[in-house]
Amino acid sequence: MKDSNKQVQGYVASIPFDRRLYRQDIEGSIAHARMLARQEIIAESEAETIIEGLKSIQEEIEQGKFQFKTELEDIHMNIEAGLFEKIGDVAGKLHTARSRNDQIALDLRLFLREEISKTIDELRALQSSLVELAEANEAVIMPGYTHLQQAQPILLAHHLLAYFEMFQRDRERFHDCMKRADVLPLGSGALAGVPYPVDRELVARELDFSKVSTNSLDAVSDRDFVIEYEAAAAVTMMHLSRLAEELILWSSREFGFIEIGEAYTTGSSIMPQKKNPDVAELARGKTGRVYGNLMGILTTMKALPLAYNRDMQEDKEGLFDTVDTLHSSLEVFAGMIKTIKINTERIYQAMKTDYILATDLADYLVKKGLPFREAHGVVAKLAEYAMSKGKNFRELSLKEYHNFSPLFTDDVYAITLESSAAARSIPGGTSPRQVEKALSRAKRLIRE
Ligand code: ARG
C-alpha cells in the first residue's frame, strides 16, 4: 500500500478510540438482529447464528484476543468483519435496514445513558461526604466572606451545604440530559428511514429506550445529548473547581482552617515543610479541558448541513475525555472530603477581632428605632473609631458607644458570633435551627 493511503487510513480511522463502544455496538446489533427475525426480514436461524457470533466476538474482545484493524476504520466495521470471519456470509444480513449513521447514534446514546447514571451516583456520594463533614462540625461558626473579606458569621455547615445545593442542581441537569439521551435513533438508516417493515418500538423496548426518534434526518445528525452532557459536566467541574479553590485557600498556613488527608496531598521535592493540595489543584486545572471539550463539540456541530457528516466522528474523544475526567474528579473529591479535619481553633482565631459583627450592631440600632441607612452610618463611624484605637467592639465602654448613639445600652454586649448566626433564622438562613432543617432535607435528597 502506498504511504499516502496508509496516512489517510490513519487519519479517518476512529478505531483507536471508538473501540471503547464495542459493548454498546454489540448490544444494539443483537437487538436489531432479533427484531429483523421477528419481522421476518431475515430468518430466525440466521438471527441466532448472528447473535451467537456477536456474543463470541464480545468475549474475544474482553479477553483481549480480538484483532482490531485500522484499515477497517471503526468499531462497526471491525465487529462486522469479525462476524464474517466467524459465521461466514450470513454476517452480511445483520446490516439490513441499518446504516452506520443510525448505528453510531445508537451506540453513543447507550454509552451515555450508563455514564449519566454513574455520574448521578457519584454526585450523590460527593453530596454525602459534604453532609457528613457538615454534621460532624454542626456547631462550628466561621467567617462568611464576600469579596474574600470577612462579612458575617455563618455556620461552617451552612457553607458546606451551599456546595450540596450546587451538586443537587448538577444532578437535576444530568437527569434532564438523560431524557434527551433516552431516545432510540435506530430505524433512521442513513438519513431517510429504511424501506423494510422494521419494528422500532420493539427495539426500543428491548434496549429500554423510553422513546423512538421522530425525524430520521435529525436522529442521525443530532448530537445535542452529547453537548448537553458536556455542558452539564462543565458546570459540575466549575462547582468542583470553586470548592477546590476554597479547600486550597483554607488549607494554606495563612488560613489554617482545614487539613486535607495525607493521601490527597503531596510533599515538595525540595521544601520539606510542604503539604501541597495537588488533588484539589488538579480538579481546578482539569476544569479547563472539560470546558475545552464542550467548545470543541459545539464548534464541530455549528455549521453542519443535514444530515450525517464525517465531522461528527470528532464527537467521541472529547466526550470520552470529559466522562473520564468528571468521573475521576467526582470520585476523588468524595474521598478527599472524608479526610478533611476542621481546625476550629484557627477558625475562631480568625474572628477574634469582632468587626465581623458590624452588621449586627447596625441591626441592633434598627431594632431600637433607627432607620437602617442611619444605623449603617453610625456603625461605620464606630468601627472606624474602634479600629483606630485597636479595640474590638466588645472592648468599647458604654460611654464610648454613646459618643456615636444614645440608643446603645448594656445589651449591646450580648451580640456575639452565636447570637448573630442564630438571628438569621429565616428559611435558607444560617441559624443552627435552619441548618439542621437543611441537613435533614439534604439527607432526604441523597436518598432520592
Ligand atoms: N465512525 C463513524 C463515526 O463515528 C461512524 C459513522 C460513519 N458513517 C459513515 N457513513 N462513514 O461517526
Side-chain angles (χ1 to χ4, degrees), residues 109 177 180 218 221-230 301:
R109 285 170 182 275
C177 173
R180 252 91 55 202
D218 179 47
S221 67
D222 168 29
R223 292 295 182 269
D224 289 4
F225 57 101
V226 172
I227 294 172
E228 286 182 41
Y229 183 91
E230 293 194 41
M301 295 302 294

Side-chain angles (χ1 to χ4, degrees), residues 12-15 17-18 21 72-77 99-105 107-108 190 220 223 308-316:
V12 301
S14 54
I15 193 64
F17 47 89
D18 71 5
L21 296 172
L72 292 171
E73 248 182 65
D74 56 23
I75 185 64
H76 325 298
M77 304 289 266
S99 152
R100 275 190 290 160
N101 297 350
D102 57 356
Q103 190 176 355
I104 184 61
D107 292 2
L108 270 180
V220 290
R223 292 295 182 269
Y308 178 85
N309 298 271
R310 194 59 181 274
D311 314 46
M312 290 163 69
Q313 183 166 293
E314 287 292 307
D315 58 4
K316 286 167 206 63

Side-chain angles (χ1 to χ4, degrees), residues 227 230 289-302 314-315 318:
I227 294 172
E230 293 194 41
R289 65 202 278 170
V290 172
Y291 287 5
N293 292 334
L294 172 62
M295 268 310 128
I297 182 66
L298 280 170
T299 310
T300 293
M301 295 302 294
K302 75 176 262 293
E314 287 292 307
D315 58 4

Side-chain angles (χ1 to χ4, degrees), residues 30 55 103 135 168 288 311 336 372 394 406 446:
I30 289 176
K55 283 182 180 162
Q103 190 176 355
E135 275 194 313
Q168 185 60 25
D311 314 46
M336 177 168 69
F372 182 79
R394 63 177 173 275
I446 290 170

Side-chain angles (χ1 to χ4, degrees), residues 26-44 46-48 50-52 54-55 94 186 199 202-203 206-207:
I26 289 173
E27 190 190 353
S29 287
I30 289 176
H32 182 65
R34 281 214 181 100
M35 181 278 293
L36 289 178
R38 193 81 53 90
Q39 298 301 100
E40 298 178 355
I41 299 166
I42 65 174
E44 192 67 51
E46 292 170 335
E48 273 163 29
I50 289 171
I51 291 167
E52 283 319 302
L54 287 169
K55 283 182 180 162
L94 172 61
L186 220 58
D199 186 344
L202 180 75
V203 181
E206 183 97 354
L207 295 172

Side-chain angles (χ1 to χ4, degrees), residues 52-68:
E52 283 319 302
L54 287 169
K55 283 182 180 162
S56 78
I57 287 173
Q58 173 153 353
E59 265 168 43
E60 276 178 30
I61 293 175
E62 282 165 0
Q63 289 161 3
K65 288 185 197 149
F66 191 83
Q67 269 265 292
F68 290 104

Side-chain angles (χ1 to χ4, degrees), residues 272-291:
Q273 84 283 14
K274 295 227 316 178
K275 240 180 95 180
N276 297 328
D278 297 48
V279 168
E281 290 173 281
L282 277 165
R284 190 176 57 183
K286 285 173 190 290
T287 304
R289 65 202 278 170
V290 172
Y291 287 5

